Amino acid sequence: MANPNPEDRILRQPFRLAGWREAALTGIVLWVAASAGFAQETRLAEDSAPAIERMLAQAERMRPISSLLVAQGGQLVVERYYRGMRADQTTNVKSVSKTLLSPLIGIAIEEGLLAGPNQPISELLPEYFERLDHADQDTRKSEIELRHVLSMSAGIQTTSFGNYGAWLSSTDWVWDQLRRPMVCDPGRCFEYSTGNTHILGAILTARTGMSLRDYAQSRFFGALDIRLPRWDRDPQGRYLGGNNMALTPRDLLKFGQVFLDGGSYNGRQLIPADWIDLSWQPRFSSPWNGHRYGYLWWTERWGGQTAYFAWGYGGQYLVVVPDLHLVAVVTSSLARTERGHTRRLRVFFDRYLVPAFAAHSRPR
């Protein structure tokens, strides 16, 4: 992968942690370039150094972690790689891929390719709903709207977890999700499913006339100087929506920074700002972990702050904390997955990372 563009705002003049204590104790000020769109400077608070050191020590103890990056106020202030991981190395971000679809839906709505969150998916995938009618399927499926799929509340039995293998073995992943029984009315329960996000990917492919990868590259990721590698496809040749995309940790950090900045990047509005507000509005709570869910984004309170995050199997996280102007990325090795690692990472964010950076930056 090519070296990062030196003009990328979150990578400009990175502050290296090797000299963290000396810099913090002398009260060094990092100036945020006005050309990057920031209006104020960021000060490294003296009392934040011990908290940052504790946070880094805790990260070091968690053996599956392969990278830890933190940007605050548009400055990359922590960049650590572990156990052979390199800055230019992509990693399978697993279900973080679901959140990576979020801007594409917002952009497609702005372009008039989709009518909006309330549009029935039967209008967008008519050939599948004709098959459902012929199969005398539950009529409640015709009531499913985009907003239900985006919020994992379509009401159809999940294709994740114990059903994932059978779903991947089917001859048509969209049909296999849609044919499954209803477990509740649309919009009445939370049923997390990769089949839902694959439906979104199929909708984008049908409405744009482009592959999911090509649309994502041309409308969003290309503007960030991110090149998406190829990933899994279904038997119809459509890219898997919602799993197994590969990005570098710095790519993820850029993605989070765009959402933190209201959808803009280097003076260009890439995502409608109101789409970010809609995406971050919690609509359901997961019955198995209590996290709230909006449109493909999770929400939790960590360190006394509201955090919006993308989460993938094995410990892949992108975290955005707007009130702290904070974006953090943690990736973990799938070869080193340990029981309880995800739970320990939630504790890490709550007790170490977010509190450390709550003290880190103070407007002058």
Side-chain angles (χ1 to χ4, degrees):
M1 176 170 287
N3 290 331
N5 183 343
E7 293 304 310
D8 290 341
R9 78 178 75 180
I10 65 172
L11 299 180
R12 183 181 285 124
Q13 300 175 354
F15 183 71
R16 300 298 179 184
L17 263 290
W20 172 268
R21 174 177 289 276
E22 292 79 6
L25 293 180
T26 57
I28 189 171
V29 173
L30 291 181
W31 290 91
V32 181
S35 61
F38 294 91
Q40 62 185 23
E41 62 191 37
T42 299
R43 177 178 293 277
L44 304 182
E46 294 182 8
D47 59 357
S48 68
I52 297 279
E53 289 174 353
R54 286 193 296 271
M55 182 268 295
L56 290 171
Q58 186 68 18
E60 182 68 39
R61 294 187 190 103
M62 290 187 280
R63 291 182 297 174
I65 287 183
S66 55
S67 72
L68 168 62
L69 283 71
V70 183
Q72 191 167 42
Q75 289 282 351
L76 180 60
V77 292
V78 172
E79 185 175 28
R80 289 289 179 92
Y81 298 95
Y82 306 92
R83 300 161 190 96
M85 181 73 175
R86 303 185 313 273
D88 62 350
Q89 183 177 339
T90 62
T91 188
N92 185 345
V93 297
K94 301 302 290 182
S95 284
V96 170
S97 306
K98 293 175 172 60
T99 305
L100 298 178
L101 295 182
S102 173
L104 307 183
I105 297 295
I107 292 167
I109 290 172
E110 184 179 50
E111 292 180 339
L113 300 173
L114 301 172
N118 295 331
Q119 186 171 15
I121 65 170
S122 60
E123 297 178 2
L124 302 168
L125 297 170
E127 67 279 15
Y128 284 102
F129 280 83
E130 288 175 8
R131 290 176 66 183
L132 289 173
D133 289 342
H134 291 317
D136 196 26
Q137 287 283 328
D138 195 319
T139 58
R140 289 178 293 177
K141 292 179 180 178
S142 64
E143 301 171 10
I144 299 172
E145 299 174 353
L146 269 176
R147 62 191 175 97
H148 299 135
V149 184
L150 287 162
S151 60
M152 298 292 177
S153 63
I156 306 178
Q157 180 190 70
T158 183
T159 61
S160 293
F161 312 111
N163 295 330
Y164 191 69
W167 178 65
L168 287 181
S169 299
S170 69
T171 58
D172 188 326
W173 299 351
V174 173
W175 171 250
D176 190 72
Q177 174 67 91
L178 289 172
R179 71 165 183 82
R180 290 175 178 269
M182 298 290 288
V183 297
C184 69
D185 292 343
R188 300 295 295 177
C189 68
F190 182 81
E191 188 79 353
Y192 184 87
S193 178
T194 300
N196 283 340
T197 46
H198 190 60
I199 285 173
L200 292 175
I203 287 171
L204 287 170
T205 299
R207 300 297 287 182
T208 66
M210 305 168 68
S211 74
L212 178 62
R213 177 176 176 266
D214 287 348
Y215 185 70
Q217 192 71 53
S218 66
R219 297 302 193 274
F220 184 71
F221 288 96
L224 273 61
D225 196 28
I226 296 172
R227 180 159 182 81
L228 294 173
R230 299 184 185 278
W231 69 99
D232 299 347
R233 300 195 196 199
D234 70 9
Q236 287 66 45
R238 295 170 298 215
Y239 282 99
L240 171 56
N243 201 6
N244 291 346
M245 295 174 71
L247 294 173
T248 69
R250 286 184 176 185
D251 291 341
L252 285 179
L253 205 68
K254 286 184 184 180
F255 181 94
Q257 188 72 41
V258 172
F259 268 77
L260 179 62
D261 290 344
S264 67
Y265 184 77
N266 284 345
R268 178 182 171 190
Q269 193 71 30
L270 300 181
I271 315 168
D274 59 355
W275 181 251
I276 295 175
D277 294 337
L278 285 173
S279 299
W280 282 352
Q281 180 181 335
R283 290 169 173 81
F284 291 89
S285 292
S286 167
W288 34 276
N289 59 36
H291 298 325
R292 294 170 293 165
Y293 202 75
Y295 286 169
L296 306 179
W297 281 89
W298 296 94
T299 306
E300 188 54 275
R301 292 283 292 180
W302 283 330
Q305 303 289 332
T306 298
Y308 304 99
F309 63 99
W311 169 26
Y313 171 78
Q316 325 308 323
Y317 279 90
L318 164 65
V319 180
V320 180
V321 186
D323 286 350
L324 299 182
H325 312 288
L326 181 75
V327 184
V329 168
V330 170
T331 63
S332 302
S333 169
L334 295 175
R336 294 174 177 266
T337 299
E338 294 180 347
R339 185 178 182 86
H341 179 56
T342 296
R343 177 185 56 79
R344 287 190 289 272
L345 277 172
R346 291 199 297 264
V347 173
F348 174 72
F349 293 128
D350 184 39
R351 297 183 185 175
Y352 294 93
L353 192 147
V354 175
F357 283 91
H360 173 210
S361 181
R362 292 286 186 269
R364 296 187 77 181

